[in-house]
Amino acid sequence: MEMKVGLLLSIWIIAVSSLQAAEVDTVKVYSTAMDKEIKAVVITPDDYAVRDSLPVVYLLHGYSGSYADWVNKAPVIKVLADRYGFMIVCPDGGYGSWYWDSPVDESFKYETFIAKELVDWIDGRYKTIAGRKGRAISGLSMGGHGALYIAFRHQDTFGAAGSTAGGVDIRPFPLNWDMAKRLGSYAEHPEHWEQYTVINMMHLLTPGKLSLIIDCGTGDFFYRVNEQLHQKLLDRNIPHTYITGPGAHNWAYWQQSIPYQLLYFFDFFGQK
């Protein structure tokens, strides 16, 4: 009898816990700019039903990744969505879009999709805080560059931005990761490479307007360019949080870094 009661109690606890866990949905969002449907993972916290409105963090994946990367390879984000009480949206950014509106390929308009179409779609269907004070954006590698690129250019949409192991200066890598397909070759279109790299966009920033967190492992091949971005931000008197420590360009590092990013955004959302 005691074993039966204990078993039933265990089943009940598991059932209640599952009911209180963050909900993960995969949605399809139509992009008018690219004339196609694009998938995204949407994570809502366990208290979503009783909330009037809540903030949203947009998380971008890296080169060759997909919308499912974050939730599958760093499942801690579901726990953190519950803990901090915000939504997390992980859109698909294509195999190698770099989240640009490509100047040489009209079929790639991922800046427009993320900054306008996706945000409008999410705000129209979920109980969000529909303003820059209720939105943050971050990502890893290609997505780190993309998050900063989009946030710098759309500060009316995003109030906070982050990058973990981001390719924040693309120019040292002219033959890598499909960037030449999106911008044209560096030799033929150097102006694109100068214009579309985050490290050259400091002129768009005003001290204190956009909250920034940037991190990179010291063993990462993007470590040097992140150090350079950090120095440029210091030179321009742009407040930001910058974190470095042991780590390479892999999921072992990103699983450790994303909790710091999400805590930073939680603090940002709590500001009055």
Side-chain angles (χ1 to χ4, degrees):
M1 182 66 176
E2 291 181 359
M3 289 181 63
K4 185 176 180 180
V5 172
L7 178 60
L8 290 173
L9 181 59
S10 298
I11 293 172
W12 180 83
I13 291 173
I14 292 171
V16 171
S17 298
S18 66
L19 289 174
Q20 293 178 335
E23 184 172 335
V24 179
D25 293 316
T26 298
V27 301
K28 293 181 179 180
V29 181
Y30 179 73
S31 168
T32 302
M34 293 186 281
D35 190 23
K36 65 180 181 180
E37 287 188 327
I38 298 174
K39 289 183 177 181
V41 161
V42 178
I43 302 172
T44 49
D46 56 8
D47 64 348
Y48 177 80
V50 299
R51 297 280 293 277
D52 293 328
S53 61
L54 64 171
V56 185
V57 176
Y58 291 82
L59 277 185
L60 308 184
H61 65 78
Y63 174 76
S64 77
S66 79
Y67 67 96
D69 278 4
W70 275 111
V71 73
N72 287 335
K73 299 177 181 179
V76 68
I77 65 174
K78 294 182 291 183
V79 177
L80 296 175
D82 277 346
R83 179 181 301 169
Y84 298 142
F86 50 55
M87 289 176 54
I88 298 176
V89 178
C90 307
D92 199 276
Y95 192 89
S97 73
W98 284 80
Y99 302 96
W100 295 313
D101 283 359
S102 169
V104 299
D105 185 346
E106 292 188 357
S107 67
F108 278 77
K109 294 188 180 295
Y110 281 87
E111 176 189 354
T112 294
F113 173 67
I114 301 294
K116 177 62 178 174
E117 296 175 330
L118 178 62
V119 166
D120 287 349
W121 194 93
I122 293 294
D123 285 346
R125 288 162 177 80
Y126 293 89
K127 298 184 293 183
T128 65
I129 298 173
R132 67 185 305 274
K133 292 184 179 180
R135 294 194 203 100
I137 186 169
S138 188
L140 65 89
S141 193
M142 177 183 85
H145 183 281
L148 295 181
Y149 178 86
I150 289 171
F152 286 9
R153 288 170 52 83
H154 299 273
Q155 296 177 54
D156 56 335
T157 301
F158 299 97
S163 169
T164 179
V168 295
D169 187 355
I170 63 173
R171 297 168 301 172
F173 311 97
L175 302 178
N176 295 87
W177 311 304
D178 291 347
M179 290 188 290
K181 294 180 181 179
R182 308 288 88 87
L183 298 179
S185 73
Y186 200 171
E188 294 177 346
H189 296 282
E191 73 282 3
H192 293 164
W193 289 74
E194 296 296 326
Q195 179 184 352
Y196 284 74
T197 189
V198 160
I199 205 165
N200 280 350
M201 299 170 66
M202 299 299 99
H203 61 287
L204 298 178
L205 300 179
T206 301
K209 183 176 182 181
L210 184 65
S211 293
L212 295 171
I213 178 170
I214 298 162
D215 69 71
C216 193
T218 55
D220 196 303
F221 48 76
F222 284 144
Y223 176 66
R224 183 175 63 86
V225 295
N226 276 270
E227 285 279 294
Q228 291 169 347
L229 176 63
H230 168 55
Q231 190 58 56
K232 274 202 167 187
L233 290 168
L234 290 175
D235 292 344
R236 300 298 179 92
N237 196 31
I238 303 297
H240 62 289
T241 294
Y242 180 58
I243 303 171
T244 64
H249 201 79
N250 55 35
W251 278 100
Y253 176 80
W254 300 320
Q255 289 164 356
Q256 296 179 30
S257 67
I258 196 59
Y260 292 99
Q261 297 251 337
L262 295 182
L263 175 59
Y264 180 89
F265 296 142
F266 171 71
D267 289 341
F268 166 77
F269 293 140
Q271 295 172 8
K272 304 298 183 182

